PDB file of all heavy atoms in Angstrom:
ATOM      1  N   GLY G  12       3.794   1.777  -1.234  1.00  0.00           N
ATOM      2  CA  GLY G  12       4.336   1.992  -2.568  1.00  0.00           C
ATOM      3  C   GLY G  12       3.320   2.605  -3.517  1.00  0.00           C
ATOM      4  O   GLY G  12       3.643   3.488  -4.315  1.00  0.00           O
ATOM      5  N   LEU G  22       1.192  11.661   2.744  1.00  0.00           N
ATOM      6  CA  LEU G  22       0.676  11.289   4.064  1.00  0.00           C
ATOM      7  C   LEU G  22       0.183   9.843   4.116  1.00  0.00           C
ATOM      8  O   LEU G  22       0.527   9.114   5.055  1.00  0.00           O
ATOM      9  CB  LEU G  22      -0.402  12.253   4.540  1.00  0.00           C
ATOM     10  CG  LEU G  22       0.130  13.505   5.226  1.00  0.00           C
ATOM     11  CD1 LEU G  22      -1.009  14.407   5.674  1.00  0.00           C
ATOM     12  CD2 LEU G  22       1.032  13.167   6.386  1.00  0.00           C
ATOM     13  N   LYS G  33       5.933  -0.874  12.151  1.00  0.00           N
ATOM     14  CA  LYS G  33       5.465  -1.421  13.436  1.00  0.00           C
ATOM     15  C   LYS G  33       5.388  -2.951  13.372  1.00  0.00           C
ATOM     16  O   LYS G  33       5.732  -3.631  14.330  1.00  0.00           O
ATOM     17  CB  LYS G  33       4.093  -0.836  13.793  1.00  0.00           C
ATOM     18  CG  LYS G  33       4.120   0.622  14.170  1.00  0.00           C
ATOM     19  CD  LYS G  33       2.697   1.121  14.382  1.00  0.00           C
ATOM     20  CE  LYS G  33       2.609   2.621  14.339  1.00  0.00           C
ATOM     21  NZ  LYS G  33       1.212   3.096  14.387  1.00  0.00           N
ATOM     22  N   GLU G  35       7.112  -4.941  11.306  1.00  0.00           N
ATOM     23  CA  GLU G  35       8.476  -5.488  11.187  1.00  0.00           C
ATOM     24  C   GLU G  35       9.252  -5.328  12.486  1.00  0.00           C
ATOM     25  O   GLU G  35      10.130  -6.128  12.794  1.00  0.00           O
ATOM     26  CB  GLU G  35       9.217  -4.773  10.053  1.00  0.00           C
ATOM     27  CG  GLU G  35       8.639  -5.056   8.693  1.00  0.00           C
ATOM     28  CD  GLU G  35       9.167  -4.101   7.628  1.00  0.00           C
ATOM     29  OE1 GLU G  35      10.072  -3.291   7.914  1.00  0.00           O
ATOM     30  OE2 GLU G  35       8.665  -4.172   6.498  1.00  0.00           O
ATOM     31  N   PHE G  48       7.698  11.356   9.345  1.00  0.00           N
ATOM     32  CA  PHE G  48       6.605  12.130   9.956  1.00  0.00           C
ATOM     33  C   PHE G  48       7.136  13.413  10.588  1.00  0.00           C
ATOM     34  O   PHE G  48       6.572  14.490  10.404  1.00  0.00           O
ATOM     35  CB  PHE G  48       5.865  11.302  11.016  1.00  0.00           C
ATOM     36  CG  PHE G  48       4.709  10.516  10.486  1.00  0.00           C
ATOM     37  CD1 PHE G  48       4.697   9.134  10.597  1.00  0.00           C
ATOM     38  CD2 PHE G  48       3.623  11.135   9.902  1.00  0.00           C
ATOM     39  CE1 PHE G  48       3.629   8.386  10.125  1.00  0.00           C
ATOM     40  CE2 PHE G  48       2.540  10.405   9.426  1.00  0.00           C
ATOM     41  CZ  PHE G  48       2.545   9.027   9.538  1.00  0.00           C
ATOM     42  N   LEU G  49       8.221  13.306  11.354  1.00  0.00           N
ATOM     43  CA  LEU G  49       8.763  14.469  12.063  1.00  0.00           C
ATOM     44  C   LEU G  49       9.192  15.561  11.084  1.00  0.00           C
ATOM     45  O   LEU G  49       8.938  16.744  11.322  1.00  0.00           O
ATOM     46  CB  LEU G  49       9.937  14.064  12.960  1.00  0.00           C
ATOM     47  CG  LEU G  49      10.566  15.189  13.779  1.00  0.00           C
ATOM     48  CD1 LEU G  49       9.544  15.852  14.698  1.00  0.00           C
ATOM     49  CD2 LEU G  49      11.738  14.652  14.585  1.00  0.00           C
ATOM     50  N   LEU G  60      -3.480  18.478  11.857  1.00  0.00           N
ATOM     51  CA  LEU G  60      -2.694  17.515  11.097  1.00  0.00           C
ATOM     52  C   LEU G  60      -1.269  17.429  11.657  1.00  0.00           C
ATOM     53  O   LEU G  60      -0.699  16.341  11.766  1.00  0.00           O
ATOM     54  CB  LEU G  60      -2.675  17.902   9.620  1.00  0.00           C
ATOM     55  CG  LEU G  60      -2.218  16.847   8.623  1.00  0.00           C
ATOM     56  CD1 LEU G  60      -2.938  15.517   8.839  1.00  0.00           C
ATOM     57  CD2 LEU G  60      -2.439  17.344   7.199  1.00  0.00           C
ATOM     58  N   LEU G  71       6.304   5.953  17.010  1.00  0.00           N
ATOM     59  CA  LEU G  71       7.380   5.235  16.315  1.00  0.00           C
ATOM     60  C   LEU G  71       8.727   5.413  17.025  1.00  0.00           C
ATOM     61  O   LEU G  71       9.489   4.455  17.165  1.00  0.00           O
ATOM     62  CB  LEU G  71       7.468   5.712  14.864  1.00  0.00           C
ATOM     63  CG  LEU G  71       6.254   5.341  14.002  1.00  0.00           C
ATOM     64  CD1 LEU G  71       6.175   6.229  12.773  1.00  0.00           C
ATOM     65  CD2 LEU G  71       6.302   3.873  13.620  1.00  0.00           C
ATOM     66  N   GLU G  73       9.129   5.985  20.187  1.00  0.00           N
ATOM     67  CA  GLU G  73       9.055   5.208  21.429  1.00  0.00           C
ATOM     68  C   GLU G  73       9.296   3.725  21.166  1.00  0.00           C
ATOM     69  O   GLU G  73      10.002   3.059  21.926  1.00  0.00           O
ATOM     70  CB  GLU G  73       7.695   5.421  22.105  1.00  0.00           C
ATOM     71  CG  GLU G  73       7.554   6.796  22.730  1.00  0.00           C
ATOM     72  CD  GLU G  73       6.154   7.102  23.234  1.00  0.00           C
ATOM     73  OE1 GLU G  73       5.171   6.445  22.810  1.00  0.00           O
ATOM     74  OE2 GLU G  73       6.042   8.025  24.072  1.00  0.00           O
ATOM     75  N   SER G  91      11.598  16.179  19.952  1.00  0.00           N
ATOM     76  CA  SER G  91      11.193  17.101  18.889  1.00  0.00           C
ATOM     77  C   SER G  91       9.708  16.959  18.558  1.00  0.00           C
ATOM     78  O   SER G  91       9.066  17.931  18.165  1.00  0.00           O
ATOM     79  CB  SER G  91      12.037  16.858  17.638  1.00  0.00           C
ATOM     80  OG  SER G  91      13.394  17.101  17.917  1.00  0.00           O
ATOM     81  N   GLU G 111      18.708  16.522  27.739  1.00  0.00           N
ATOM     82  CA  GLU G 111      19.393  15.390  28.377  1.00  0.00           C
ATOM     83  C   GLU G 111      20.552  14.900  27.502  1.00  0.00           C
ATOM     84  O   GLU G 111      21.651  14.653  27.986  1.00  0.00           O
ATOM     85  CB  GLU G 111      18.393  14.250  28.606  1.00  0.00           C
ATOM     86  CG  GLU G 111      19.014  12.959  29.078  1.00  0.00           C
ATOM     87  CD  GLU G 111      18.054  11.776  28.964  1.00  0.00           C
ATOM     88  OE1 GLU G 111      16.831  11.968  29.056  1.00  0.00           O
ATOM     89  OE2 GLU G 111      18.555  10.652  28.769  1.00  0.00           O
ATOM     90  N   VAL G 112      20.294  14.810  26.203  1.00  0.00           N
ATOM     91  CA  VAL G 112      21.336  14.364  25.276  1.00  0.00           C
ATOM     92  C   VAL G 112      22.417  15.434  25.146  1.00  0.00           C
ATOM     93  O   VAL G 112      23.608  15.140  25.208  1.00  0.00           O
ATOM     94  CB  VAL G 112      20.741  14.023  23.893  1.00  0.00           C
ATOM     95  CG1 VAL G 112      21.833  13.698  22.894  1.00  0.00           C
ATOM     96  CG2 VAL G 112      19.758  12.863  24.005  1.00  0.00           C
ATOM     97  N   PHE G 124      20.916  21.706  17.371  1.00  0.00           N
ATOM     98  CA  PHE G 124      20.049  22.319  16.370  1.00  0.00           C
ATOM     99  C   PHE G 124      18.596  22.363  16.850  1.00  0.00           C
ATOM    100  O   PHE G 124      17.921  23.383  16.736  1.00  0.00           O
ATOM    101  CB  PHE G 124      20.166  21.553  15.052  1.00  0.00           C
ATOM    102  CG  PHE G 124      19.350  22.136  13.936  1.00  0.00           C
ATOM    103  CD1 PHE G 124      19.674  23.355  13.385  1.00  0.00           C
ATOM    104  CD2 PHE G 124      18.251  21.454  13.440  1.00  0.00           C
ATOM    105  CE1 PHE G 124      18.914  23.898  12.348  1.00  0.00           C
ATOM    106  CE2 PHE G 124      17.497  21.980  12.411  1.00  0.00           C
ATOM    107  CZ  PHE G 124      17.822  23.205  11.861  1.00  0.00           C
ATOM    108  N   GLU G 150      29.039  22.455  11.497  1.00  0.00           N
ATOM    109  CA  GLU G 150      28.455  21.891  10.270  1.00  0.00           C
ATOM    110  C   GLU G 150      28.148  23.027   9.295  1.00  0.00           C
ATOM    111  O   GLU G 150      26.991  23.420   9.126  1.00  0.00           O
ATOM    112  CB  GLU G 150      27.163  21.135  10.600  1.00  0.00           C
ATOM    113  CG  GLU G 150      27.351  19.949  11.497  1.00  0.00           C
ATOM    114  CD  GLU G 150      26.039  19.246  11.832  1.00  0.00           C
ATOM    115  OE1 GLU G 150      24.940  19.790  11.574  1.00  0.00           O
ATOM    116  OE2 GLU G 150      26.120  18.129  12.363  1.00  0.00           O
ATOM    117  N   ASN G 152      27.758  23.175   6.292  1.00  0.00           N
ATOM    118  CA  ASN G 152      26.820  22.831   5.221  1.00  0.00           C
ATOM    119  C   ASN G 152      25.379  22.736   5.708  1.00  0.00           C
ATOM    120  O   ASN G 152      24.479  22.429   4.912  1.00  0.00           O
ATOM    121  CB  ASN G 152      27.228  21.529   4.545  1.00  0.00           C
ATOM    122  CG  ASN G 152      28.469  21.704   3.703  1.00  0.00           C
ATOM    123  OD1 ASN G 152      28.705  22.779   3.153  1.00  0.00           O
ATOM    124  ND2 ASN G 152      29.285  20.673   3.615  1.00  0.00           N
ATOM    125  N   GLU G 155      20.127  25.246   6.784  1.00  0.00           N
ATOM    126  CA  GLU G 155      18.993  25.696   7.591  1.00  0.00           C
ATOM    127  C   GLU G 155      19.478  26.491   8.803  1.00  0.00           C
ATOM    128  O   GLU G 155      18.944  27.554   9.112  1.00  0.00           O
ATOM    129  CB  GLU G 155      18.157  24.490   8.030  1.00  0.00           C
ATOM    130  CG  GLU G 155      16.816  24.868   8.582  1.00  0.00           C
ATOM    131  CD  GLU G 155      15.918  23.670   8.842  1.00  0.00           C
ATOM    132  OE1 GLU G 155      16.325  22.515   8.637  1.00  0.00           O
ATOM    133  OE2 GLU G 155      14.775  23.904   9.275  1.00  0.00           O
ATOM    134  N   ALA G 191      19.532  35.552  -5.650  1.00  0.00           N
ATOM    135  CA  ALA G 191      19.101  36.915  -5.976  1.00  0.00           C
ATOM    136  C   ALA G 191      18.304  37.518  -4.817  1.00  0.00           C
ATOM    137  O   ALA G 191      18.471  38.705  -4.487  1.00  0.00           O
ATOM    138  CB  ALA G 191      18.279  36.920  -7.257  1.00  0.00           C
ATOM    139  N   ASP G 194      20.741  38.419  -2.167  1.00  0.00           N
ATOM    140  CA  ASP G 194      21.462  39.637  -2.567  1.00  0.00           C
ATOM    141  C   ASP G 194      20.621  40.876  -2.296  1.00  0.00           C
ATOM    142  O   ASP G 194      21.149  41.916  -1.860  1.00  0.00           O
ATOM    143  CB  ASP G 194      21.865  39.566  -4.046  1.00  0.00           C
ATOM    144  CG  ASP G 194      23.062  38.669  -4.294  1.00  0.00           C
ATOM    145  OD1 ASP G 194      23.863  38.460  -3.352  1.00  0.00           O
ATOM    146  OD2 ASP G 194      23.201  38.183  -5.434  1.00  0.00           O
TER     147      ASP G 194
END
Side-chain angles (χ1 to χ4, degrees):
L22 275 180
K33 290 175 198 173
E35 293 167 6
F48 270 120
L49 181 59
L60 195 50
L71 293 160
E73 288 172 340
S91 298
E111 172 194 331
V112 174
F124 182 68
E150 297 179 347
N152 289 329
E155 193 172 2
D194 283 336

